[in-house]
Amino acid sequence: MKLILLGAPGAGKGTVAKLLTQIDGSVQISTGDILRGAVAAGTELGKKAEAAMKAGDLVSDDLIMGIMEERLKEDDCKAGYLLDGFPRTIPQAEALKELLEKMGEKLDCAVEIDVPREVILDRLTTRRTCTECGEIYNVKSNPPKEEGKCDKCGGPVVQRDDETEEAISNRLNVYNEQTAPLVDFYRNEGLLLSVKATSSEAVIDAIKEKLGIN
Ligand code: ADP
Ligand code: ZN
């Protein structure tokens, strides 16, 4: 399947994407993970992205489109892809549309995961992430077995730099201003599936139903 996952930070895009990869081998492509990897590795890309990310602002459209053009041409994308955190602005959505037309590919749909703001705020402040493999934990509902240590890879599990209260509130504002307009964009394209749900399973079920997967 070829899907876009839309939703505020903390809506559960990453969790839903991971579950969907198990259905048909589609790959999860998270621009946030790619960028965090680049920052950790200290690459040119990482250096360009770091300040914006730390403040909860967006990285430039040009930088993101450069990454995504390359990524979508890789072989593993033939099995399908779940775009998690991309596109995030109208110019990115327009550039993606053009890119896919050039590549002769069609999206199945753009899924909006619509979660109430209180739930989002609670999730983001209690979220913890493995700096090695990106696995996500929650101090209240899903802590690692050993505090601060990833169950999967043993890496350090920490609060992200952009998960301070100030950066979170900025990220939510940035979402409302720059990314929420994509809901209308994809509705106009006839591709929108909007799901009001706080459980990932319910989101998965709605996607399966829409795509006729059982
Ligand atoms: P979230 O949990 O907010 O969905 P992500 O892990 O997707 O966060 O992204 C983290 C940060 O990486 C963003 O706040 C932004 O600085 C940058 N980023 C990720 N994807 C994009 C994108 N498509 N366009 C611009 N910036 C991006
Ligand atoms: Zn890990």
Side-chain angles (χ1 to χ4, degrees):
M1 58 187 111
K2 298 191 173 87
L3 296 186
I4 292 174
L5 297 165
L6 289 172
K13 301 183 294 290
T15 309
V16 166
K18 282 203 179 69
L19 291 167
L20 290 172
T21 60
Q22 294 162 13
I23 295 178
D24 68 351
S26 301
V27 288
Q28 174 187 12
I29 303 179
S30 156
T31 41
D33 285 348
I34 293 172
L35 293 169
R36 276 186 290 280
V39 170
T43 64
E44 259 332 284
L45 169 66
K47 284 181 198 139
K48 287 185 188 150
E50 194 167 11
M53 290 177 73
K54 193 159 180 178
D57 290 326
L58 293 183
V59 172
S60 80
D61 290 335
D62 284 351
L63 212 59
I64 296 289
M65 288 317 300
I67 298 173
M68 288 307 293
E69 280 205 49
E70 300 230 324
R71 184 64 188 89
L72 288 170
K73 286 176 185 155
E74 280 175 37
D75 264 354
D76 59 351
C77 289
K78 295 209 169 70
Y81 39 78
L82 311 156
L83 304 184
D84 159 13
F86 169 85
R88 229 157 143 143
T89 63
I90 293 282
Q92 288 179 22
E94 279 167 350
L96 174 66
K97 185 178 171 190
E98 217 173 283
L99 176 65
L100 292 178
E101 274 165 14
K102 250 196 288 177
M103 295 171 72
E105 293 187 7
K106 262 206 165 81
L107 294 169
D108 293 303
C109 65
V111 184
E112 178 202 12
I113 309 175
D114 188 2
V115 177
R117 193 182 164 96
E118 317 83 73
V119 178
I120 296 269
L121 279 174
D122 185 55
R123 277 190 194 163
L124 289 176
T125 47
T126 53
R127 181 153 89 171
R128 301 291 183 270
T129 309
C130 171
T131 58
E132 297 286 327
C133 75
E135 186 71 9
I136 292 177
Y137 296 91
N138 184 291
V139 285
K140 285 198 244 166
S141 59
N142 174 33
K145 289 196 187 75
E146 192 179 325
E147 200 187 318
K149 194 170 164 196
C150 180
D151 295 348
K152 287 217 164 143
C153 77
V157 173
V158 302
Q159 185 159 29
R160 270 166 44 179
D161 273 355
D162 61 356
E163 286 178 351
T164 60
E165 218 163 293
E166 199 186 345
I168 288 172
S169 127
N170 189 38
R171 278 161 67 208
L172 292 174
N173 290 339
V174 167
Y175 179 80
N176 289 333
E177 282 161 21
Q178 307 209 50
T179 309
L182 296 187
V183 171
D184 278 333
F185 179 94
Y186 286 110
R187 189 179 290 118
N188 289 334
E189 297 279 311
L191 286 173
L192 187 71
L193 169 66
S194 182
V195 190
K196 267 199 182 16
T198 47
S199 94
S200 322
E201 288 70 26
V203 178
I204 302 281
D205 287 345
I207 295 170
K208 281 181 160 173
E209 191 185 324
K210 167 91 172 176
L211 303 186
I213 301 168
N214 39 34

